[in-house]
Amino acid sequence: MAKNAGLLILSLSFLFFLFFSVAVSRNVTFDHRSLIIDGQRKLLISASIHYPRSVPAMWPDLVAAAKRGGVDVIETYVFWNGHEPSPGQFYFEDRFDLVRFAKIVRDAGMYMILRIGPFVAAEWNYGGVPVWLHYVPGTVFRTDNEPFKSHMASFTTFIVQMMKRENLFASQGGHIILAQAIALNYRFISATDQIENEYGDIEAVYGDGGRSYSTWAVNMALSQNIGVPWIMCQQYDAPDNVINTCNSFYCDQFTPSSANKPKFWTENWPGWFQNFGTAKPHRPPEDIAFAVARFFQKGGSLQNYYMYHGGTNFGRTAGGPFITTSYDYDAPIDEYGLVRLPKWSHLKELHEAIKLCEQTLLYGTSKFLSLGSHQEADIFEDSGKCVAFLANVDEKNDKLVIFRNVPYNLPAWSVSILPDCKNVVFNTAKVRSQNSRVEMVPENLKASAGSGKLPWQVYTEKAGVWGAPDFIKNELVDHINTTKDTTDYLWYTTSFYIDGNEFLSDGSLPILTVESKGHAVQAFINGRLQGSASGYTIKLEAPITLTAGVNQIALLSMTVGLQNAGPFYEWLGAGLTSVKISGLRNGGLDLSQAAWAYKIGLEGEHQNIFKADGNHDVRWTPSSDPPKNQSLTWYKVEIAPPQGHEPVALDMQSMGKGQAWLNGKAIGRYWSLTSSVYDKCTQNCDYRGPFSPDKCRTGCGEISQRWYHVPRSWFQPSGNTLIFFEEKGGDPTRITFARRRVTAGAPA
């Protein structure tokens, strides 16, 4: 009887839970001032955290850190090519478990903005659109094109139905309050849904097809009946029932397309992304706070940081080309999940100050007051309450202003917030938080079995076609059209005959000239590396050693992330366009129309030797002293996990260029490419004045990315397998771990 009573209680509890879930469904609408949730206007602080750019073990702490920082909403894109790797085949596991991530946000008591896209840009490979879609006959991306629209609608519907099944939309009692519709060329938003992304900036390029596509996308989105508003980033002619939003470093001067729409800022960039070979960009916290305060001062009601946590472009997910594996973004929470001080704390104090003003800002009447040539006040009053924002937009000079007969000192390029029109609770230029001191503490790799030398194993790729060629053609083919992005690598191989009399009598070497659409190329003659080059377009010129008789030339073309934005970006190719040899007695050879044998990918890739279940027939060669500065070499070693509990990275400064894996999980591309010593770097960035990505950079003349994040959750207690594929040549014995340690300034 007691058992039955217990079951009855559980059943009644479950029914009560179901009834309560339905009963608390939220009504989400908007007016000219803000989003309205259950009849109440809301002032919202949102934070972008992309679920695939971290790992599930990190998600709860990332969301919790955002909430502690005064954030109300978590925003994320949905990454189509991560979820539908082949037509109709879907993947929602591990880092791509969207529902799990959404529920973590919900359980933290936060709202969510879902940016379905499905185009996202986001420095993500191919802008998030599956590469296979480009090869569906007749397809043109992001215009009035039936194949593209059909697949886009199918994926959007799939995601919406998935969210509906889990009751995650606010209209179902969930926490998703916005969605995105149509995106342009850069990024996304939060607790709403979004369809497309930043399309307005390029719509005109597509002519009539662009306009009709935009209209179609809106109607398709609205037909999903999700019960919450849709937004469109940078869409200047969005229809009345869709909210158009701003993406920029500053959005205080943004005006919605209709007086009936609220002022939303879906992408406030608190830093910037980095390319291999460039210095690191930084945005000062004073300037970010200034931009946010100005936005709310001028009538904004929803602001989203893109990114609040940037994370990592694991595997081959980085776009670009040439986007680094790190997507740290100089965000308030760093790539490893640690809060970045003083940025995180300064913005937390800003959020607290703005929230003190919420009711009066959203329901009060506003009045503008000039306090000087570059000084001004915006005053909001409601039911006897008063809020004031005092701004000094002078880029150089501090100013003393008189407001309501009281003097206030305003630093240059700053805003003071007065929740009672009397007392300053926050000034954007006055940073009170400590700087965090972050160290990368080195730790040598240790053998899994204990003490002793690391048990390295080596496997060397053949330069050129291995096995039978995939095909032979008397022309140089496009790299991407051939590989369809199943790999970074494509071999072009041919042979040619040189008569001994062709060599110049002065002993000077012939010159090989290779031209390519990018992104990188290595040239081998008779199995020996002769030269390499990289770039958006390439012209490799290298002296080569030939022999009398038949010579083989093998050219390894490599991609480093596919284009992720821009009109008609899917048509941008890569790979070789011309191969010539000069400096011979008869002048030279043009091999561009020779019979080229092609091989897609590396033999090691085909054998899956980086996976635990890979081909065990591969003949790894044990080596206590693995070869150094050798190209086309796979390295494998069994290691123990690093000590402690701090976040972990691999220090790859001793290596050249390649890819890395731990226990079969792809860490990403590495490349020890240095930035130019002539780049504009500064150790003391002046926050005053408009920001641009090149304003405040550090690390000129240094390796652009030295450390590569390896999530702690990827390690096993013992028997961890590290694998590297080195393209150019490096010293694997000098690879170390680095534990990321905060030694000062951590928040209470």
Side-chain angles (χ1 to χ4, degrees), residues 448-478:
S448 184
S451 60
K453 282 193 171 185
L454 288 170
W456 288 100
Q457 298 182 67
V458 177
Y459 176 73
T460 304
E461 291 273 340
K462 176 188 174 184
V465 171
W466 47 271
D470 290 321
F471 61 93
I472 298 173
K473 211 162 190 180
N474 288 84
E475 63 178 325
L476 298 169
V477 301
D478 182 81

PDB file of all heavy atoms in Angstrom, residues 448-478:
ATOM      1  N   SER A 448      52.493   7.581 -20.240  1.00  0.00           N
ATOM      2  CA  SER A 448      51.355   7.051 -19.506  1.00  0.00           C
ATOM      3  C   SER A 448      51.771   5.955 -18.541  1.00  0.00           C
ATOM      4  O   SER A 448      51.185   5.793 -17.481  1.00  0.00           O
ATOM      5  CB  SER A 448      50.314   6.507 -20.493  1.00  0.00           C
ATOM      6  OG  SER A 448      49.162   6.074 -19.826  1.00  0.00           O
ATOM      7  N   ALA A 449      52.812   5.209 -18.901  1.00  0.00           N
ATOM      8  CA  ALA A 449      53.254   4.080 -18.083  1.00  0.00           C
ATOM      9  C   ALA A 449      54.086   4.517 -16.886  1.00  0.00           C
ATOM     10  O   ALA A 449      54.481   3.689 -16.079  1.00  0.00           O
ATOM     11  CB  ALA A 449      54.057   3.108 -18.925  1.00  0.00           C
ATOM     12  N   GLY A 450      54.389   5.811 -16.775  1.00  0.00           N
ATOM     13  CA  GLY A 450      55.200   6.270 -15.658  1.00  0.00           C
ATOM     14  C   GLY A 450      56.457   6.944 -16.132  1.00  0.00           C
ATOM     15  O   GLY A 450      56.465   7.645 -17.138  1.00  0.00           O
ATOM     16  N   SER A 451      57.538   6.721 -15.410  1.00  0.00           N
ATOM     17  CA  SER A 451      58.797   7.386 -15.735  1.00  0.00           C
ATOM     18  C   SER A 451      59.398   6.793 -17.006  1.00  0.00           C
ATOM     19  O   SER A 451      58.996   5.749 -17.496  1.00  0.00           O
ATOM     20  CB  SER A 451      59.778   7.228 -14.579  1.00  0.00           C
ATOM     21  OG  SER A 451      60.028   5.867 -14.333  1.00  0.00           O
ATOM     22  N   GLY A 452      60.390   7.481 -17.532  1.00  0.00           N
ATOM     23  CA  GLY A 452      61.070   7.007 -18.725  1.00  0.00           C
ATOM     24  C   GLY A 452      60.753   7.878 -19.918  1.00  0.00           C
ATOM     25  O   GLY A 452      59.955   8.814 -19.859  1.00  0.00           O
ATOM     26  N   LYS A 453      61.394   7.559 -21.040  1.00  0.00           N
ATOM     27  CA  LYS A 453      61.213   8.336 -22.256  1.00  0.00           C
ATOM     28  C   LYS A 453      59.817   8.147 -22.824  1.00  0.00           C
ATOM     29  O   LYS A 453      59.192   7.094 -22.660  1.00  0.00           O
ATOM     30  CB  LYS A 453      62.261   7.926 -23.295  1.00  0.00           C
ATOM     31  CG  LYS A 453      63.637   8.520 -23.056  1.00  0.00           C
ATOM     32  CD  LYS A 453      64.510   8.326 -24.284  1.00  0.00           C
ATOM     33  CE  LYS A 453      65.814   9.113 -24.142  1.00  0.00           C
ATOM     34  NZ  LYS A 453      66.628   9.028 -25.374  1.00  0.00           N
ATOM     35  N   LEU A 454      59.364   9.171 -23.487  1.00  0.00           N
ATOM     36  CA  LEU A 454      58.065   9.084 -24.130  1.00  0.00           C
ATOM     37  C   LEU A 454      58.110   8.055 -25.255  1.00  0.00           C
ATOM     38  O   LEU A 454      59.051   8.038 -26.052  1.00  0.00           O
ATOM     39  CB  LEU A 454      57.664  10.444 -24.697  1.00  0.00           C
ATOM     40  CG  LEU A 454      57.272  11.510 -23.674  1.00  0.00           C
ATOM     41  CD1 LEU A 454      57.140  12.864 -24.356  1.00  0.00           C
ATOM     42  CD2 LEU A 454      55.963  11.152 -22.979  1.00  0.00           C
ATOM     43  N   PRO A 455      57.072   7.221 -25.353  1.00  0.00           N
ATOM     44  CA  PRO A 455      57.053   6.160 -26.377  1.00  0.00           C
ATOM     45  C   PRO A 455      56.539   6.681 -27.726  1.00  0.00           C
ATOM     46  O   PRO A 455      55.452   6.326 -28.183  1.00  0.00           O
ATOM     47  CB  PRO A 455      56.109   5.126 -25.771  1.00  0.00           C
ATOM     48  CG  PRO A 455      55.130   5.941 -24.974  1.00  0.00           C
ATOM     49  CD  PRO A 455      55.915   7.109 -24.431  1.00  0.00           C
ATOM     50  N   TRP A 456      57.336   7.506 -28.386  1.00  0.00           N
ATOM     51  CA  TRP A 456      56.920   8.073 -29.665  1.00  0.00           C
ATOM     52  C   TRP A 456      56.820   6.993 -30.737  1.00  0.00           C
ATOM     53  O   TRP A 456      57.597   6.034 -30.736  1.00  0.00           O
ATOM     54  CB  TRP A 456      57.914   9.132 -30.127  1.00  0.00           C
ATOM     55  CG  TRP A 456      57.863  10.411 -29.351  1.00  0.00           C
ATOM     56  CD1 TRP A 456      58.701  10.802 -28.359  1.00  0.00           C
ATOM     57  CD2 TRP A 456      56.914  11.474 -29.519  1.00  0.00           C
ATOM     58  NE1 TRP A 456      58.349  12.042 -27.878  1.00  0.00           N
ATOM     59  CE2 TRP A 456      57.246  12.478 -28.582  1.00  0.00           C
ATOM     60  CE3 TRP A 456      55.825  11.680 -30.367  1.00  0.00           C
ATOM     61  CZ2 TRP A 456      56.524  13.662 -28.472  1.00  0.00           C
ATOM     62  CZ3 TRP A 456      55.105  12.856 -30.256  1.00  0.00           C
ATOM     63  CH2 TRP A 456      55.457  13.832 -29.322  1.00  0.00           C
ATOM     64  N   GLN A 457      55.866   7.184 -31.639  1.00  0.00           N
ATOM     65  CA  GLN A 457      55.772   6.373 -32.845  1.00  0.00           C
ATOM     66  C   GLN A 457      55.618   7.321 -34.039  1.00  0.00           C
ATOM     67  O   GLN A 457      55.060   8.413 -33.900  1.00  0.00           O
ATOM     68  CB  GLN A 457      54.577   5.417 -32.790  1.00  0.00           C
ATOM     69  CG  GLN A 457      54.669   4.411 -31.633  1.00  0.00           C
ATOM     70  CD  GLN A 457      53.488   3.463 -31.644  1.00  0.00           C
ATOM     71  OE1 GLN A 457      53.339   2.643 -32.559  1.00  0.00           O
ATOM     72  NE2 GLN A 457      52.646   3.568 -30.636  1.00  0.00           N
ATOM     73  N   VAL A 458      56.111   6.889 -35.188  1.00  0.00           N
ATOM     74  CA  VAL A 458      56.180   7.773 -36.354  1.00  0.00           C
ATOM     75  C   VAL A 458      55.628   7.058 -37.581  1.00  0.00           C
ATOM     76  O   VAL A 458      55.840   5.852 -37.765  1.00  0.00           O
ATOM     77  CB  VAL A 458      57.639   8.221 -36.612  1.00  0.00           C
ATOM     78  CG1 VAL A 458      57.724   9.084 -37.862  1.00  0.00           C
ATOM     79  CG2 VAL A 458      58.202   8.945 -35.406  1.00  0.00           C
ATOM     80  N   TYR A 459      54.923   7.811 -38.395  1.00  0.00           N
ATOM     81  CA  TYR A 459      54.453   7.302 -39.683  1.00  0.00           C
ATOM     82  C   TYR A 459      54.629   8.430 -40.703  1.00  0.00           C
ATOM     83  O   TYR A 459      54.167   9.554 -40.482  1.00  0.00           O
ATOM     84  CB  TYR A 459      52.983   6.879 -39.604  1.00  0.00           C
ATOM     85  CG  TYR A 459      52.401   6.421 -40.915  1.00  0.00           C
ATOM     86  CD1 TYR A 459      52.752   5.199 -41.464  1.00  0.00           C
ATOM     87  CD2 TYR A 459      51.492   7.228 -41.596  1.00  0.00           C
ATOM     88  CE1 TYR A 459      52.213   4.779 -42.672  1.00  0.00           C
ATOM     89  CE2 TYR A 459      50.947   6.816 -42.801  1.00  0.00           C
ATOM     90  CZ  TYR A 459      51.308   5.593 -43.339  1.00  0.00           C
ATOM     91  OH  TYR A 459      50.779   5.189 -44.530  1.00  0.00           O
ATOM     92  N   THR A 460      55.303   8.155 -41.808  1.00  0.00           N
ATOM     93  CA  THR A 460      55.615   9.188 -42.796  1.00  0.00           C
ATOM     94  C   THR A 460      54.804   8.984 -44.062  1.00  0.00           C
ATOM     95  O   THR A 460      54.757   7.887 -44.616  1.00  0.00           O
ATOM     96  CB  THR A 460      57.116   9.185 -43.140  1.00  0.00           C
ATOM     97  OG1 THR A 460      57.876   9.353 -41.935  1.00  0.00           O
ATOM     98  CG2 THR A 460      57.447  10.327 -44.086  1.00  0.00           C
ATOM     99  N   GLU A 461      54.144  10.056 -44.490  1.00  0.00           N
ATOM    100  CA  GLU A 461      53.373  10.036 -45.729  1.00  0.00           C
ATOM    101  C   GLU A 461      54.308  10.066 -46.932  1.00  0.00           C
ATOM    102  O   GLU A 461      55.390  10.676 -46.892  1.00  0.00           O
ATOM    103  CB  GLU A 461      52.461  11.266 -45.801  1.00  0.00           C
ATOM    104  CG  GLU A 461      51.328  11.291 -44.809  1.00  0.00           C
ATOM    105  CD  GLU A 461      50.078  10.585 -45.302  1.00  0.00           C
ATOM    106  OE1 GLU A 461      49.937  10.408 -46.544  1.00  0.00           O
ATOM    107  OE2 GLU A 461      49.241  10.214 -44.455  1.00  0.00           O
ATOM    108  N   LYS A 462      53.887   9.442 -48.003  1.00  0.00           N
ATOM    109  CA  LYS A 462      54.600   9.541 -49.276  1.00  0.00           C
ATOM    110  C   LYS A 462      54.286  10.898 -49.902  1.00  0.00           C
ATOM    111  O   LYS A 462      53.148  11.366 -49.862  1.00  0.00           O
ATOM    112  CB  LYS A 462      54.168   8.422 -50.213  1.00  0.00           C
ATOM    113  CG  LYS A 462      54.791   8.513 -51.606  1.00  0.00           C
ATOM    114  CD  LYS A 462      54.178   7.490 -52.552  1.00  0.00           C
ATOM    115  CE  LYS A 462      54.704   7.680 -53.969  1.00  0.00           C
ATOM    116  NZ  LYS A 462      54.068   6.756 -54.933  1.00  0.00           N
ATOM    117  N   ALA A 463      55.299  11.536 -50.481  1.00  0.00           N
ATOM    118  CA  ALA A 463      55.084  12.785 -51.205  1.00  0.00           C
ATOM    119  C   ALA A 463      54.486  12.467 -52.569  1.00  0.00           C
ATOM    120  O   ALA A 463      55.161  11.927 -53.446  1.00  0.00           O
ATOM    121  CB  ALA A 463      56.396  13.549 -51.365  1.00  0.00           C
ATOM    122  N   GLY A 464      53.203  12.781 -52.743  1.00  0.00           N
ATOM    123  CA  GLY A 464      52.545  12.511 -54.005  1.00  0.00           C
ATOM    124  C   GLY A 464      51.441  11.489 -53.856  1.00  0.00           C
ATOM    125  O   GLY A 464      50.999  11.163 -52.749  1.00  0.00           O
ATOM    126  N   VAL A 465      51.005  10.969 -54.986  1.00  0.00           N
ATOM    127  CA  VAL A 465      49.897  10.016 -54.993  1.00  0.00           C
ATOM    128  C   VAL A 465      50.314   8.735 -54.287  1.00  0.00           C
ATOM    129  O   VAL A 465      51.339   8.143 -54.592  1.00  0.00           O
ATOM    130  CB  VAL A 465      49.456   9.712 -56.436  1.00  0.00           C
ATOM    131  CG1 VAL A 465      48.450   8.562 -56.462  1.00  0.00           C
ATOM    132  CG2 VAL A 465      48.858  10.954 -57.071  1.00  0.00           C
ATOM    133  N   TRP A 466      49.526   8.334 -53.313  1.00  0.00           N
ATOM    134  CA  TRP A 466      49.716   7.046 -52.652  1.00  0.00           C
ATOM    135  C   TRP A 466      48.606   6.116 -53.158  1.00  0.00           C
ATOM    136  O   TRP A 466      47.466   6.530 -53.348  1.00  0.00           O
ATOM    137  CB  TRP A 466      49.664   7.207 -51.131  1.00  0.00           C
ATOM    138  CG  TRP A 466      48.494   8.031 -50.679  1.00  0.00           C
ATOM    139  CD1 TRP A 466      48.425   9.382 -50.505  1.00  0.00           C
ATOM    140  CD2 TRP A 466      47.175   7.529 -50.390  1.00  0.00           C
ATOM    141  NE1 TRP A 466      47.164   9.770 -50.141  1.00  0.00           N
ATOM    142  CE2 TRP A 466      46.376   8.657 -50.050  1.00  0.00           C
ATOM    143  CE3 TRP A 466      46.599   6.262 -50.385  1.00  0.00           C
ATOM    144  CZ2 TRP A 466      45.036   8.537 -49.707  1.00  0.00           C
ATOM    145  CZ3 TRP A 466      45.262   6.135 -50.041  1.00  0.00           C
ATOM    146  CH2 TRP A 466      44.499   7.273 -49.700  1.00  0.00           C
ATOM    147  N   GLY A 467      48.944   4.876 -53.394  1.00  0.00           N
ATOM    148  CA  GLY A 467      47.959   3.974 -53.977  1.00  0.00           C
ATOM    149  C   GLY A 467      47.625   4.402 -55.394  1.00  0.00           C
ATOM    150  O   GLY A 467      48.398   5.069 -56.079  1.00  0.00           O
ATOM    151  N   ALA A 468      46.444   4.043 -55.843  1.00  0.00           N
ATOM    152  CA  ALA A 468      46.013   4.429 -57.182  1.00  0.00           C
ATOM    153  C   ALA A 468      45.490   5.857 -57.157  1.00  0.00           C
ATOM    154  O   ALA A 468      44.870   6.292 -56.184  1.00  0.00           O
ATOM    155  CB  ALA A 468      44.923   3.484 -57.672  1.00  0.00           C
ATOM    156  N   PRO A 469      45.726   6.642 -58.211  1.00  0.00           N
ATOM    157  CA  PRO A 469      45.182   8.003 -58.249  1.00  0.00           C
ATOM    158  C   PRO A 469      43.657   7.974 -58.276  1.00  0.00           C
ATOM    159  O   PRO A 469      43.039   7.032 -58.781  1.00  0.00           O
ATOM    160  CB  PRO A 469      45.757   8.587 -59.533  1.00  0.00           C
ATOM    161  CG  PRO A 469      46.113   7.414 -60.378  1.00  0.00           C
ATOM    162  CD  PRO A 469      46.490   6.323 -59.430  1.00  0.00           C
ATOM    163  N   ASP A 470      43.050   9.019 -57.729  1.00  0.00           N
ATOM    164  CA  ASP A 470      41.590   9.122 -57.776  1.00  0.00           C
ATOM    165  C   ASP A 470      41.123   9.420 -59.196  1.00  0.00           C
ATOM    166  O   ASP A 470      40.059   8.962 -59.612  1.00  0.00           O
ATOM    167  CB  ASP A 470      41.103  10.209 -56.812  1.00  0.00           C
ATOM    168  CG  ASP A 470      41.288   9.792 -55.365  1.00  0.00           C
ATOM    169  OD1 ASP A 470      41.069   8.609 -55.061  1.00  0.00           O
ATOM    170  OD2 ASP A 470      41.651  10.641 -54.537  1.00  0.00           O
ATOM    171  N   PHE A 471      41.893  10.198 -59.925  1.00  0.00           N
ATOM    172  CA  PHE A 471      41.610  10.453 -61.333  1.00  0.00           C
ATOM    173  C   PHE A 471      42.821  11.147 -61.951  1.00  0.00           C
ATOM    174  O   PHE A 471      43.715  11.632 -61.244  1.00  0.00           O
ATOM    175  CB  PHE A 471      40.346  11.302 -61.525  1.00  0.00           C
ATOM    176  CG  PHE A 471      40.404  12.663 -60.896  1.00  0.00           C
ATOM    177  CD1 PHE A 471      40.823  13.776 -61.624  1.00  0.00           C
ATOM    178  CD2 PHE A 471      40.031  12.850 -59.563  1.00  0.00           C
ATOM    179  CE1 PHE A 471      40.869  15.034 -61.054  1.00  0.00           C
ATOM    180  CE2 PHE A 471      40.084  14.112 -58.980  1.00  0.00           C
ATOM    181  CZ  PHE A 471      40.506  15.202 -59.726  1.00  0.00           C
ATOM    182  N   ILE A 472      42.857  11.185 -63.269  1.00  0.00           N
ATOM    183  CA  ILE A 472      43.926  11.860 -64.021  1.00  0.00           C
ATOM    184  C   ILE A 472      43.274  12.839 -64.984  1.00  0.00           C
ATOM    185  O   ILE A 472      42.283  12.509 -65.651  1.00  0.00           O
ATOM    186  CB  ILE A 472      44.797  10.848 -64.785  1.00  0.00           C
ATOM    187  CG1 ILE A 472      45.493   9.900 -63.798  1.00  0.00           C
ATOM    188  CG2 ILE A 472      45.833  11.565 -65.648  1.00  0.00           C
ATOM    189  CD1 ILE A 472      46.240   8.752 -64.476  1.00  0.00           C
ATOM    190  N   LYS A 473      43.828  14.037 -65.059  1.00  0.00           N
ATOM    191  CA  LYS A 473      43.233  15.052 -65.923  1.00  0.00           C
ATOM    192  C   LYS A 473      44.334  15.946 -66.479  1.00  0.00           C
ATOM    193  O   LYS A 473      45.299  16.261 -65.783  1.00  0.00           O
ATOM    194  CB  LYS A 473      42.228  15.892 -65.127  1.00  0.00           C
ATOM    195  CG  LYS A 473      41.079  16.424 -65.955  1.00  0.00           C
ATOM    196  CD  LYS A 473      39.924  16.861 -65.062  1.00  0.00           C
ATOM    197  CE  LYS A 473      38.696  17.169 -65.895  1.00  0.00           C
ATOM    198  NZ  LYS A 473      37.557  17.602 -65.063  1.00  0.00           N
ATOM    199  N   ASN A 474      44.163  16.377 -67.718  1.00  0.00           N
ATOM    200  CA  ASN A 474      45.154  17.239 -68.365  1.00  0.00           C
ATOM    201  C   ASN A 474      44.871  18.713 -68.076  1.00  0.00           C
ATOM    202  O   ASN A 474      44.808  19.544 -68.980  1.00  0.00           O
ATOM    203  CB  ASN A 474      45.170  16.997 -69.871  1.00  0.00           C
ATOM    204  CG  ASN A 474      45.795  15.661 -70.221  1.00  0.00           C
ATOM    205  OD1 ASN A 474      45.110  14.639 -70.190  1.00  0.00           O
ATOM    206  ND2 ASN A 474      47.072  15.651 -70.539  1.00  0.00           N
ATOM    207  N   GLU A 475      44.681  18.999 -66.837  1.00  0.00           N
ATOM    208  CA  GLU A 475      44.469  20.372 -66.397  1.00  0.00           C
ATOM    209  C   GLU A 475      44.586  20.418 -64.879  1.00  0.00           C
ATOM    210  O   GLU A 475      44.558  19.381 -64.201  1.00  0.00           O
ATOM    211  CB  GLU A 475      43.098  20.896 -66.829  1.00  0.00           C
ATOM    212  CG  GLU A 475      41.934  20.135 -66.232  1.00  0.00           C
ATOM    213  CD  GLU A 475      40.599  20.718 -66.651  1.00  0.00           C
ATOM    214  OE1 GLU A 475      40.512  21.960 -66.787  1.00  0.00           O
ATOM    215  OE2 GLU A 475      39.640  19.944 -66.827  1.00  0.00           O
ATOM    216  N   LEU A 476      44.698  21.635 -64.355  1.00  0.00           N
ATOM    217  CA  LEU A 476      44.739  21.850 -62.915  1.00  0.00           C
ATOM    218  C   LEU A 476      43.320  22.115 -62.430  1.00  0.00           C
ATOM    219  O   LEU A 476      42.676  23.061 -62.871  1.00  0.00           O
ATOM    220  CB  LEU A 476      45.661  23.030 -62.586  1.00  0.00           C
ATOM    221  CG  LEU A 476      47.124  22.838 -63.000  1.00  0.00           C
ATOM    222  CD1 LEU A 476      47.898  24.148 -62.897  1.00  0.00           C
ATOM    223  CD2 LEU A 476      47.787  21.751 -62.163  1.00  0.00           C
ATOM    224  N   VAL A 477      42.831  21.281 -61.533  1.00  0.00           N
ATOM    225  CA  VAL A 477      41.440  21.366 -61.092  1.00  0.00           C
ATOM    226  C   VAL A 477      41.328  22.216 -59.830  1.00  0.00           C
ATOM    227  O   VAL A 477      42.307  22.433 -59.105  1.00  0.00           O
ATOM    228  CB  VAL A 477      40.854  19.966 -60.827  1.00  0.00           C
ATOM    229  CG1 VAL A 477      40.924  19.113 -62.079  1.00  0.00           C
ATOM    230  CG2 VAL A 477      41.571  19.273 -59.656  1.00  0.00           C
ATOM    231  N   ASP A 478      40.121  22.702 -59.570  1.00  0.00           N
ATOM    232  CA  ASP A 478      39.875  23.460 -58.347  1.00  0.00           C
ATOM    233  C   ASP A 478      39.929  22.531 -57.135  1.00  0.00           C
ATOM    234  O   ASP A 478      39.357  21.437 -57.148  1.00  0.00           O
ATOM    235  CB  ASP A 478      38.515  24.148 -58.416  1.00  0.00           C
ATOM    236  CG  ASP A 478      38.246  24.977 -57.172  1.00  0.00           C
ATOM    237  OD1 ASP A 478      38.739  26.108 -57.099  1.00  0.00           O
ATOM    238  OD2 ASP A 478      37.549  24.468 -56.257  1.00  0.00           O
TER     239      ASP A 478
END
